Amino acid sequence: MEKIRIFDTTLRDGEQSPGASMNLDEKMMLARQLERLKVDVIEAGFPSSSPGDFESVKRIAQEVQETQIAGLSRTTPGDIDRAWEALKYARNPLIHVFIATSDIHLQYKLRKSREEVLEEAGRAVAYAKRHTQEVEFSAEDATRSDPEYLARVVEAAIEAGATIVNIPDTVGYIIPTEYGKLITFLRQKVKNIHKAILSIHCHNDLGMAVANSLTAVESGARQIECTINGIGERAGNASLEEIVMALKTRRDFFSYQVGVVTEQIYPASRLLSGITGILVPPNKAIVGANAFAHEAGIHQDGILKEKTTYEIMRPESVGISQSTLVLGKHSGRHAFREKIKTLGYELSEAHLNQAFQRFKEVADKKKQVFDEDLEAIIADEILRIPDLFKLVNLNVVSGSVTVPTATVQIEIGGKLYQEAGFGDGPVDAAYKTISKITKTKSHLLKFLVNAITGGTDAQGEVTVILEEEGIRVTGQGAHTDIIIAAAKAYINGLNKLEHQKRIKGV
Ligand code: KIV
Ligand code: ZN
């Protein structure tokens, strides 16, 4: 069976989603999970785009040795050198150079002629080859480019040494049958095409990224670029979990080999949404909360008699455990550590102790602690940037006849600050008081509450989107007391804003 390479770009294109920016520790944690998932390539970032991106590509290249590591680069020698500076530590580095080939991009963005771009593409690939053997070339906006011209650029890139040529549907414009024809055309037209792996990269603007990717594979593409949960620019990229599970579930139709360890899909999805705060819709294929839930009586009856009546995949095959009830207040550290491992997290001893202490507090309040509770604890306690603001205490008084009042204590740089304030409701009172203490001026754009598991003792998970000075961040907090969860989410968002402001020098 021929192999399809899975090229994960969650840390590069995915990170370009609004609100998806991650700090270095978060990127490292996700990169390690992608390594466990056994994707073929991790695109770790775009080194010349910012010092933060450079650092994260470098660290991932140094520490993630089992997977090929790619870094994106424009065609200038300076960009390519910078990409190499970060990538050179990798056991198997890949420089990924790109330039647009559509007339729209040439005329309005690059202000270059077709001949200039053709020449620049070849020159950039040849330059990147001076650093390393493995070079990928992407023709940005390929699907809106003149196919004859695109074929010339692809041929020039391969001639210059590109080992992979990528044909991106940058704006999610193409229709599956058209994409299939374009790939077939390039395979016939480009004389040296057999010397490179043909790759595809689809965006989801018309909701066809996965269908386009699979059609391109049928026409001869052998590398698919995709992201966990389908995050990415605008409407996102093709979703890794949907592509992989389609190829595996319909092996009778596709018959290709895919190296991904599918049992690591769900942990990867949960890890990413825990880090970014971008929630997965319940009806999302493969990883949504309802993906394996059967509601209709006829369906439930069928499933009880024979699972294959209504299930084409087993939830366990993507890492969703059937029995989600895990631990209680008598569970010990050993059981806790083992359970955390099965959820895909490798925690240091210090982080494990921190999470265990919080687990004990939750277990004291709830009879049953579910996988989702543990993930919320980890997201809340561990997956966060070093806190400038730390919530120490929160007391709220509210009711139908009292004016909602909050008393808040926050630690800032080791010093304790306390304030009290009123509001229109308990959350409003808490938020106004927190912003008084922290002297922050962010706007609250979104406030979402989600019960992590069932029951009135469920932990509440609050997600907020905050904006200040054009910077937008997501904050998350979880607690059995929903007002405390809301305060934690707000403070998490404020910490992220401070972090971003420092990076951007605002
Ligand atoms: O969508 C796109 O064209 C890209 C390229 C840089 C590969 O992300
Ligand atoms: Zn893209």
Side-chain angles (χ1 to χ4, degrees):
M1 271 202 280
E2 275 191 84
K3 177 165 172 141
I4 302 295
R5 280 164 57 96
I6 299 296
F7 177 117
D8 180 276
T9 182
T10 309
L11 288 163
R12 200 277 296 168
D13 216 330
E15 215 222 355
Q16 290 171 218
S17 303
S21 56
M22 302 172 223
N23 66 45
L24 184 55
D25 289 341
E26 292 168 340
K27 285 184 183 175
M28 282 312 301
M29 206 169 307
L30 190 60
R32 293 214 173 88
Q33 177 58 23
L34 292 171
E35 192 180 30
R36 280 191 285 275
L37 188 61
K38 288 201 189 303
V39 297
D40 298 283
V41 190
I42 296 174
E43 185 164 48
F46 187 173
S48 70
S49 67
S50 70
D53 244 46
F54 177 85
E55 267 318 305
S56 53
V57 176
K58 181 172 159 189
R59 260 233 11 233
I60 292 169
Q62 282 168 332
E63 293 183 27
V64 179
Q65 293 280 307
E66 292 300 308
T67 314
Q68 183 164 45
I69 307 298
L72 187 66
S73 169
R74 284 167 296 202
T75 44
T76 59
D79 251 47
I80 297 170
D81 288 343
R82 189 89 177 130
W84 179 244
E85 263 309 294
L87 285 169
K88 67 182 180 197
Y89 305 92
R91 201 152 65 102
N92 190 3
L94 172 69
I95 300 182
H96 178 189
V97 287
F98 77 100
I99 191 163
T101 50
S102 68
D103 287 337
I104 303 176
H105 280 235
L106 263 59
Q107 188 182 344
Y108 298 108
K109 188 181 84 176
L110 299 176
R111 298 182 202 284
K112 287 188 172 152
S113 69
R114 284 187 176 190
E115 289 314 306
E116 280 173 312
V117 165
L118 178 77
E119 198 264 327
E120 198 166 318
R123 190 157 25 92
V125 171
Y127 189 80
K129 283 292 269 202
R130 295 193 347 209
H131 291 308
T132 183
Q133 239 337 84
E134 290 271 293
V135 174
E136 171 168 332
F137 171 76
S138 279
E140 192 191 10
D141 206 16
T143 54
R144 290 192 302 165
S145 305
D146 167 16
E148 295 285 344
Y149 173 64
L150 177 64
R152 285 179 62 210
V153 178
V154 168
E155 193 166 307
I158 299 174
E159 185 60 38
T163 45
I164 303 169
V165 281
N166 185 32
I167 313 298
D169 183 28
T170 304
V171 289
Y173 178 75
I174 209 158
I175 306 288
T177 40
E178 269 183 307
Y179 203 29
K181 279 185 196 155
L182 178 61
I183 300 297
T184 305
F185 167 78
L186 291 172
R187 288 183 66 212
Q188 286 162 355
K189 184 82 186 175
V190 177
K191 284 200 284 300
N192 51 8
I193 197 82
H194 59 280
K195 293 189 182 162
I197 296 172
L198 201 46
S199 172
I200 43 97
H201 173 116
C202 297
H203 281 266
N204 207 28
D205 299 65
L206 293 173
M208 286 186 277
V210 170
N212 278 328
S213 305
L214 294 173
T215 309
V217 163
E218 278 303 278
S219 299
R222 290 294 174 263
Q223 174 174 285
I224 306 180
E225 305 195 354
C226 45
T227 60
I228 304 290
N229 295 343
I231 68 166
E233 278 280 355
R234 305 178 310 278
N237 288 61
S239 130
L240 178 145
E241 56 278 7
E242 293 175 25
I243 284 170
V244 169
M245 290 316 287
L247 291 172
K248 293 231 179 192
T249 307
R250 294 304 313 276
R251 196 171 269 148
D252 58 320
F253 182 83
F254 289 109
S255 61
Y256 301 112
Q257 192 205 324
V258 183
V260 168
V261 178
T262 59
E263 289 76 11
Q264 292 294 340
I265 284 179
Y266 188 64
S269 162
R270 293 286 304 172
L271 179 63
L272 179 65
S273 60
I275 290 173
T276 59
I278 300 177
L279 303 179
V280 172
N283 61 330
K284 164 88 176 61
I286 318 293
V287 291
N290 295 345
F292 294 93
H294 303 277
E295 185 74 16
I298 296 175
H299 289 209
Q300 288 176 350
D301 179 55
I303 282 284
L304 288 173
K305 288 178 176 147
E306 167 54 44
K307 291 200 165 37
T308 54
T309 49
Y310 287 100
E311 254 178 22
I312 59 166
M313 299 165 269
R314 300 292 306 125
E316 297 88 334
S317 69
V318 295
I320 299 177
S321 63
Q322 272 304 68
S323 141
T324 52
L325 175 61
V326 282
L327 303 171
K329 70 177 184 181
H330 301 297
S331 306
R333 190 181 302 264
H334 181 69
F336 180 75
R337 181 200 302 268
E338 288 310 304
K339 186 68 210 174
I340 292 294
K341 266 197 204 152
T342 68
L343 295 175
Y345 300 98
E346 296 274 349
L347 299 187
S348 67
E349 208 54 33
H351 279 161
L352 190 84
N353 287 341
Q354 197 180 335
F356 185 67
Q357 198 180 332
R358 177 74 186 280
F359 154 72
K360 282 287 181 188
E361 285 165 25
V362 172
D364 261 346
K365 295 196 175 112
K366 287 184 94 229
K367 285 191 205 72
Q368 302 168 326
V369 181
F370 296 87
D371 286 1
E372 291 87 340
D373 290 314
L374 295 177
E375 279 162 346
I377 290 171
I378 289 171
D380 207 36
E381 289 288 327
I382 316 293
L383 306 179
R384 53 180 63 244
I385 54 169
D387 288 346
L388 172 66
F389 309 124
K390 284 198 186 97
L391 179 68
V392 178
N393 254 315
L394 169 69
N395 267 304
V396 175
V397 182
S398 74
S400 49
V401 284
T402 48
V403 178
T405 314
T407 312
V408 183
Q409 284 186 323
I410 292 180
E411 194 186 294
I412 309 174
K415 236 177 122 190
L416 196 64
Y417 296 82
Q418 177 169 320
E419 281 284 355
F422 306 111
D424 286 337
V427 173
D428 189 46
Y431 279 26
K432 279 186 176 141
T433 314
I434 290 168
S435 84
K436 209 191 306 175
I437 298 177
T438 56
K439 299 188 174 53
T440 49
K441 295 189 180 60
S442 64
H443 297 289
L444 177 66
L445 302 183
K446 219 176 218 173
F447 180 86
L448 296 166
V449 185
N450 180 32
I452 294 174
T453 53
T456 48
D457 65 350
Q459 282 198 91
E461 185 174 55
V462 174
T463 305
V464 294
I465 298 183
L466 304 179
E467 190 177 62
E468 192 180 337
E469 316 253 13
I471 305 170
R472 205 175 265 210
V473 295
T474 310
Q476 273 198 320
H479 201 275
T480 45
D481 181 321
I482 200 71
I483 309 295
I484 297 180
K488 286 176 142 231
Y490 187 45
I491 289 180
N492 178 229
L494 293 179
N495 277 315
K496 284 189 175 175
L497 270 178
E498 290 305 309
H499 185 72
Q500 288 292 324
K501 284 197 304 199
R502 262 200 309 276
I503 290 175
K504 296 191 169 149
V506 176

